[in-house]
Amino acid sequence: MTVEAKICGLSTPETVEAAVRFGARWVGFVTYPPSPRHISTETMRVLGAGVPAGVGRVGLFVDPDDALLDEKLATGVLDLLQLHGAETPQRVAAIKQRTGKPVMKVIKVAVPRDVERGVADYAAVADRLMFDAAEGTLPGGNAKVFDWTILSGHRVPVPWFLAGGLTPDNVAEAVRVTAAGAVDVSSGVESGRGVKSVELIRAFLARTASL
């Protein structure tokens, strides 16, 4: 089983280069000012332009309006839009239609019903789903793990990512329990809040490559 890995919240050339060099399939850029991982449009343009073909570039948005989407998409460096707010299925469909980009909707998970409702509401309108911990002060990147057994045995009809408190130490167990085909990490490869570590990125990607 090949597990794809996404390193989210990248903000420097060195950490983007590390993610690419050590085998990330996806790199993520945050467009949410309250987050310590937020970067400017120009920084996103520069970082994204240096990512080689074959590595997907993801923009993380939280309830974006059309103007923000237009501004970030004008950089030409986003391949996938990650919606991490309270976007309705109708809004997800509208964003996909308006931008022409594939869309991933994040589902916040605390109890089994969250997964069932998320799949029922969004699988028909999103290209991908991501299951993340509901707990935390930010929409994501809170270093919080949810009960992975909630996902065990679930059939999800679109490709999906597992997120929420993943680290080099627990990602193998997380994949074993959930059978996730893709994983997303942000805080789990940081030396400080919002500060990515090249060594932790290397360790995380080495672990996922062995799964």
Side-chain angles (χ1 to χ4, degrees), residues 88-171:
T88 64
Q90 293 77 19
R91 179 59 176 156
V92 172
I95 288 173
K96 181 177 176 179
Q97 180 177 22
R98 186 175 191 279
T99 64
K101 294 290 185 180
V103 172
M104 175 161 63
K105 181 67 181 88
V106 179
I107 309 300
K108 309 294 179 61
V109 179
V111 296
R113 177 63 181 147
D114 295 331
V115 174
E116 297 159 11
R117 183 170 51 245
V119 170
D121 288 349
Y122 292 99
V125 294
D127 298 277
R128 294 173 179 266
L129 298 177
M130 176 183 288
F131 298 102
D132 196 1
E135 184 182 357
T137 55
L138 289 169
N142 293 294
K144 301 293 186 180
V145 176
F146 66 91
D147 180 1
W148 297 322
T149 63
I150 291 174
L151 283 170
S152 182
H154 261 286
R155 180 186 173 277
V156 182
V158 296
W160 58 276
F161 281 79
L162 176 67
L166 298 180
T167 70
D169 294 329
N170 68 13
V171 66

Side-chain angles (χ1 to χ4, degrees), residues 17 32 184:
E17 191 274 335
Y32 182 60
D184 176 278

